[in-house]
Amino acid sequence: QPAAEPQEIKVGLLHSLSGTMAISEVTVRDAELLAVDEINRAGGVLGKKLVPVVEDGASDWPTFAEKATKLIRQDKVATVFGGWTSASRKAMLPVFERYKALLWYPVQYEGLESSPYIFYTGATTNQQIIPGLDYLKEQGKKKIFLVGSDYVFPRTANKIIKAYAAANGMEILGEEYTPLGHTEYSTLVNKVVQARPDVVFNTLNGDSNVAFFKQLKSAGVTAETMPVLSVSVAEEEVTGIGVDNIAGHPVAWNYYQTTETPANEAFVKAYKAKYGAAKVTSDPMEAGYNAVYLWAEAVRKAGTTEVEAVRKAAPSISLDRPEGKVTIDGDNQHTYKTARIGIIQPDGLIKQVWDSGEPIKPDPYLKAYPWAAGLAAS
Amino acid sequence: MTAVVNQLPIGLSIGAVLLLVALGLTFTFGQMGVINMAHGEFIMAGAYTAFLIGDLVLALPAAFLVAGIMGLILERAAVRHFYGRPLDTLLLTWGVSLVLQQLARDLFGAPNVQVPAPSWLAGGVGILPYNRLFIMALAVAGVVAVWLYLNRTALGRRTQAVVQNRRLAATSGIDTGRVDMQTFFIGSGLAGVAGVALTLIGPVGPGLGTYYIVDAFLVVVAGGLGQLRGAVLAAAGLGLLNSYAEFWSDASLAKVIVFAVIIAFLQVRPQGMFVLRSRVLT
Amino acid sequence: MRDLIRRNVPFAVVAAVALVAAPLLLEPFRLGLLAKYLCYAIVALGIGLAWGKGGMLTLGQGVFFGLGGYAMAMYLKLTEAGPGGLPDFMVWSGVEELPALWAPFASPVLALAMAVLAPVALAVVLGTLVFRQRVRGAYFAILTQALAAALVILLVGQQGLTGGTNGMTNFFELFGQDLAEDSTQRGLYLVTAGVLGVLYLATRQLVNSRFGRLLVAVRDGEDRVRFLGYDPALVKTVTFAISAGMAGLAGALFVPVVGIISPALLGVVPSLELVVAVAVGGRHALAGAVLGAVVMGYAKTAFSERFADGWLYLQGALFILVMTLAPKGIAGLLGRVRRARTA
Amino acid sequence: MLELRDVRVEFDGYRALDGVDLTVPEGELRFLIGPNGAGKTTLIDVVTGLTRPVAGSVRFAGHDLVGRKEHQIVRLGVGRTFQTSVVFEELTVLENLDLAAGFRRPLWSLARRRRGVSDAVAEALARTGLEELAERSAGVLSHGQRQWLEIGMLLAQRPRLLLLDEPVAGMSGDERERTGRLLTEIAADHTVIVVEHDMEFLRRHASTVTVLHEGKVLVEGSVEQVSADPRVQEVYLGRRPSDAAVGERS
Amino acid sequence: MLLSVNGLESGYGRARVLFGVSLEVEPGRLVCVMGRNGVGKTTLLNTVMGVLPATAGTVTFDGRDVTGLKPHERVRLGMGYVPQGHQCFPQLSVLGNLLVTVEAAKQPKEAVDEALDLFPALKPMLRRSAGHLSGGQQQQLAMARALVTRPRMLILDEPTEGIQPSIILEIEAAIERLHAAGLAVLLVEQYLDIALRLADRFLILDAGRVVRTGDSEELRRDDVRRLLAV
Ligand SMILES: Nc1ncnc2c1ncn2[C@@H]1O[C@H](COP(=O)(O)OP(=O)(O)OP(=O)(O)O)[C@@H](O)[C@H]1O
Ligand SMILES: Nc1ncnc2c1ncn2[C@@H]1O[C@H](COP(=O)(O)OP(=O)(O)OP(=O)(O)O)[C@@H](O)[C@H]1O
Ligand SMILES: [Mg+2]
Ligand SMILES: [Mg+2]
């Protein structure tokens, strides 16, 4: 029988609410919920309300795959926003491809991927790592020490950095990895101090950053003597690390709470109103917040939530978001993003000191960079 | 070369951290036969106490109390049903640890919090920052206190009597229930103290305990279950091993090397560094 | 004879439900989850044997599970490898030539054999080393836990060889069957259930045999057993190896069922979760171990679906309650009810 | 049969055995007495591989026992009981005995279920009078019943050399009598060493007695000789003349 | 009446071992409990001490109902217990064993010296780990440990088991002296002659029930002795 058109659209939010990753992912989920709220208040999509279905990925990659399946097959959601770690995305990817469903992934990552069923709203390497290196080069930093957590993103990032360095006359003095969750950095700090680099390129993840910066500081290293450029430390983490320990060090992102756009002013205000004045906004949160808007826009344009139609409608969508103009790239379903370097301020916020001027076209396989030719085989 | 020399004090300071986190564990393990997997979360409780109080020195006794009382509650509510079944307590307390982690996440939020280090700990001598020296001093003080308690006080003797023969202790006039509570209180309290110290060098968040618990157990095992001097030597040994292994390879490999060395070591000394021999068959 | 029938009635009922009713009644997604629980149940069976009967609390069973899983995953990856015969993750890790270690896994027979034999071999080596030195009880537990931690670090560090933290995923077919098909998944479920059933019967037989009695004796008085002329180290090593082999087989089944293997599945926490499941089910009875794995697996799914934010409390509370109120687990509780009825 | 030469055992510097020489020929029932702490149990421990001597040799039926593992020594035909009995509480009495009888089977053959009761087990049951309790789990046995089970397990092993550490402690008079007869019977074709403090028991069943004192052999001889020895009276039997001392049993 | 036990029942799990045992010990009297292996002697003493809960019946000590008290509370009221099977705190020194007990019972340290005077064999080994002592030495230690609590009644479970003859004589003499000094004793003993020499009264258990009571003279009667035979 012709069932009455449902008056709501279910969307899945799949992040780690427990386990080690909860520290980061909960805030992204919050930002996505905010977007859902705002859209609903503005009348919803295609005249229907969005109903978020929240699941916990529990910091466990197979659980992400299981919950993704559940959202698609059981709840029949129109799309899913979720994931943080590359591993969780890799685990979900086959599920979305198998069931031809859509995932919106909001975090900067190592690139070398472009699934037809994933939209990437965070930066790929040429929108964060490479601009970071460009900045260091401009600053005249020549000797680099690489410090990272032992997983895909840092290893890939460092490969790119090494290729870049080779092509730009920079020198890599050391490359060190520590297990995720590592907290004892005295040996590593000793190695770094002995090597005397101009700058440390830091791809450590999560809690390790706290230990690293605390122990670096007490070893007497300061941002003046040896700056540490981080690509996984955002406003959210700064409080936990302790402003004293990290103020003055540079970071590379596409968005800061201080980014001056009208959309951001509204975003920060709405976020603080909903979750508390003490809360800060950060790049991945903004990317997650954007994802919901980008999807909604695509649905409006397609006139349906049907996946293939949405995919077809999405390219060329361009919105003014807190970080500025964001456009979905038709080639690889990533987004155009502006790269920004910021310096951590004593108040815990990040002040932009450099930007790429305009949104950079995403290039997950670094095809446009001759020096990166050997990096991505396929 | 200086780098190699530097690793020596670094190794010792790593050892001090290990000792501090393992001390309470050795205590409850050695004195009660309880393998407390929630130890890590008592450490976390200590760290959060420091966060709430905001002053490191005041936080030390407060954290001892807070973690100790949590231990007391755990002991009365659950652990006491499990005496004589150490492997069961391991699982039980693990369940408790999961709940405590989630509780911390809900109470203090998922992100890390920051405990400001006192200004008098800024700076250092040679390669060792003052905060590392502070931790080393705290570890030494902890060991001395535990040793005195066990060997120089009537309470300590009573504690030993209960672990060695519970039923006999009861029929010798010892209030075993009270001794259990005291022991668990002290062991958990020591975890709280360790937690305060760790705020100086690491993250303060819901996951804090999980980062240290496996290493702490390795110290306990290598030292000989519940053996104070064993724990001291094992912590120092593992600290040095860690520091040099990481220096010459990397942090990941160092962990694997440490494990291999421990297995090899147990081939030579199966019951750990020091063994309490007894004639009783098991 | 009558006794034989009576003893096997519960088993037959459960088997009928599992093999006939479940595939008919459950949606494919739910059936897939059930297949996953059954994989865990196979590991749990091994833990029930090693811990419940043999007193060896192994907190590193994930290691063996993982070895089996990786062996299977390597085979699956090789059957669908892209250009140059390289699996996808090797390509993006910059590996240019297939590592020699991988070569044998192109053969399904070898891969399956490795899934069982590699865990068995590791268990034999570790068992011989530690049991001969009379390392036991809490020592053994903590050592196996450290083993799990160490293996995870090793796997994560060898990204080009193992896929690092990501592990391996994105499998398409198994023995020519499309893994995305519901019928393939149903088939996998039936195979898993069948393997579990057969292993259960075999383990039960073993436990009721003289060897089973010897094992209990070793658990309760290892030193005394020496004076009865047996070598407890041998008995324990054999048992440990059997349980490791089961875990390996479970891992091999798990990979096509769930579609991923990663270090996250074999570290300290998942290993502990399995032991906890056995404790909840009741480690003194093999059926308890199996039951525990299914119940805890289901509880985790159910709680986390219903209470995405606070499910850990429920999971923890369930576990703590069972441990405190029913030290012998659900099986012990059921046994008590049955005895009370017959008495 | 059993030959100890100059055996020395030290525990953290304490000399528990200080050069013991002992020869027990085949088919003898030898009693070992001596003050508490003289080293009797230690001596049994040395023979059965539980304790390693720092010096000296232990030979049994042509084999050197020092350095062998406990279970290997058992396989050579040496069995023992413990002063504090250790039985497997979760197994039934029958299963305890069956386990003791089964060590000669290859490990894989143990994977089959036990069917019926083997001769060795049946005999052990009969001799220890535990038939009634056969299906009970050993955990419910009283102290004395455990002592019997321990003896039964030793019998079921069918060893050539039996070492019993205070087998009748905690037994009532009748049971001592039964044990004594049993031991005499076994000694017909086995070598048996019994550690006991019960002089009345010795008087009834012992032929040769070795007295250990402070880790050395003090005297060796018949019960009469030994109890008449003033040194033995001094360190072991006590002031009263022996027959007025402890002895009469319920 | 110092100790009176009334209709006591207890057991292990669902297995009942004692079926309504009653007995009385007057101040300064020595009562000997006898019976074959496994009749429940140890179970009786354990229940009297509160190690096992009584499922029915009462235990009254010195006019006070102690049935619900914990073992250590009974010790502090003056019940000293030496369990069967020479038990000790193996990793404490001999002196440590005595000290921990004397402290727990809140008695002065002199009590230790008094106890050591009764068991001089322990004096040279005060610093050694109790777990390393021989069985007989441990049994003496156990007796000494019970005495340092300065009990008003001593409860002994086969104290002579595994002890060399000369020390049995000493223990017997010690019990006799303590008894003469007014200490009440509840003794489980297999050596009939010791029972004969020491006991004021005896009581024979069979299958968890008291089948006979009487004074020591009666113990010599053959029909009584038959109760003890297998
Ligand atoms: N493992 C050990 N460590 C230290 N000393 C020990 C150990 N084993 C035995 N001893 C000591 O060796 C001596 C001999 O002990 P052993 O048990 O052989 O005596 P025993 O003759 O059997 O005495 P009993 O008749 O009381 O059983 C004792 O003084 C005891 O304290
Ligand atoms: N822990 C226990 N669990 C179950 N039953 C037990 C337990 N301990 C003893 N029993 C049973 O209780 C009965 C009485 O045991 P108890 O130890 O009191 O005997 P006893 O008279 O002291 O014997 P003995 O002279 O051998 O020491 C025995 O039949 C025994 O089987
Ligand atoms: Mg002895
Ligand atoms: Mg008894």
Side-chain angles (χ1 to χ4, degrees), chain B residues 277-279, chain D residues 11-12 14-16 34-43 83 165-166 195 197, chain E residues 128 132-137 162:
Chain B
R277 257 180 295 125
S278 124
R279 305 185 67 189
Chain D
F11 297 109
D12 310 322
Y14 177 83
R15 281 265 165 94
N36 293 129
K40 305 179 295 294
T41 303
T42 307
L43 192 146
Q83 192 166 357
D165 201 352
E166 306 198 16
V195 172
H197 286 299
Chain E
R128 289 177 51 195
H132 293 167
L133 300 188
S134 78
Q137 293 163 339

Side-chain angles (χ1 to χ4, degrees), chain D residues 121-169:
Chain D
V121 174
E123 189 192 324
L125 268 180
R127 283 192 152 169
T128 52
L130 289 170
E131 287 116 324
E132 300 257 295
L133 299 171
E135 293 299 335
R136 295 272 217 91
S137 56
V140 308
L141 299 187
S142 79
H143 188 70
Q145 291 162 337
R146 281 170 190 241
Q147 295 278 90
W148 274 110
L149 178 54
E150 181 108 355
I151 295 174
M153 286 162 76
L154 178 63
L155 295 180
Q157 282 185 327
R158 300 209 158 148
R160 288 194 284 164
L161 169 65
L162 294 82
L163 304 152
L164 295 102
D165 201 352
E166 306 198 16
V168 302

Side-chain angles (χ1 to χ4, degrees), chain D residues 12 14 35-37 83-84 142-144 166 169-172 174-176 197-199 235-238 240 244-250, chain E residues 37-38 84 86 128 132 134-137 140 158 161-170 172 190-194 197 225 228-230:
Chain D
D12 310 322
Y14 177 83
N36 293 129
Q83 192 166 357
T84 332
S142 79
H143 188 70
E166 306 198 16
M171 284 189 186
S172 62
D174 277 15
E175 290 177 318
R176 284 165 196 254
H197 286 299
D198 182 353
M199 289 307 285
V235 302
Y236 184 65
L237 294 174
R240 292 197 215 179
V246 192
E248 198 187 353
R249 295 282 159 187
S250 52
Chain E
N37 292 135
Q84 190 168 14
H86 29 80
R128 289 177 51 195
H132 293 167
S134 78
Q137 293 163 339
Q140 298 180 45
E158 307 204 17
E161 190 183 306
I163 306 246
Q164 68 184 80
S166 59
I167 296 181
I168 293 187
L169 294 175
E170 284 169 30
E172 187 187 332
Q190 294 274 13
Y191 285 98
L192 188 59
D193 50 338
I194 297 184
R197 283 199 293 272
R225 288 191 171 202
L228 296 171
V230 183

